[in-house]
Amino acid sequence: MATTQDTIAWAIAYDISDNRTRARMAKRLEKVAVRVQGSVFEARLTQKQAQALFDHLSSLVDRGDSLRFYALPKSSLDRSMTTGGSPLPEDGPYWIL
C-alpha cells in the first residue's frame, strides 16, 4: 500500500477526436481522478500507478490525438491558485463518514 509520501499530484489532459474513445478515456479517469475541465483531470497517484494508467490510456490514443501526464511538485501546488470546481483530493489518509 502506498504511503502519502509516495503519492504525486498529477495533471492529466487529453485531446481525443473520436467521441467513443474520448468517453472511454473519461470513464476510466473518473475512477481515479477529479475532472477539473472537460478533458483535464487531477489525481494523486504513485509513480507506478500513474505509469500503469498512462500505459492503459495510451493504448486508446489514435494518431493525431494526445495524452499528457504532468507531475506537479508540492512546491508548485503550494503556489497554485484555483477557484470553483472540485478540489484535488487531500494528500493523506482521511475518512468519509
Side-chain angles (χ1 to χ4, degrees):
M1 181 174 194
T3 65
T4 58
Q5 292 81 20
D6 295 333
T7 61
I8 301 167
W10 295 88
I12 304 164
Y14 58 83
D15 185 11
I16 305 293
S17 58
D18 181 72
N19 290 338
R20 186 173 180 184
T21 302
R22 191 171 46 253
R24 288 177 59 203
M25 178 103 38
K27 185 175 180 177
R28 177 63 181 103
L29 282 167
E30 287 171 343
K31 292 179 181 179
V32 297
V34 174
R35 186 189 295 258
V36 294
Q37 290 288 319
S39 60
V40 179
F41 290 77
E42 293 175 342
R44 288 196 189 273
L45 304 167
T46 65
Q47 181 70 44
K48 187 175 181 178
Q49 290 168 327
Q51 186 65 57
L53 181 60
F54 182 82
D55 292 345
H56 171 73
L57 295 176
S58 291
S59 69
L60 304 176
V61 176
D62 292 327
R63 184 180 198 97
D65 293 341
S66 66
L67 172 65
R68 309 269 191 224
F69 275 51
Y70 297 102
L72 305 173
K74 182 161 178 26
S75 61
S76 294
L77 290 175
D78 291 342
R79 293 189 314 263
S80 296
M81 296 170 272
T82 64
T83 185
S86 300
L88 181 64
E90 295 290 325
D91 183 18
Y94 55 91
W95 296 85
I96 298 176
L97 303 174

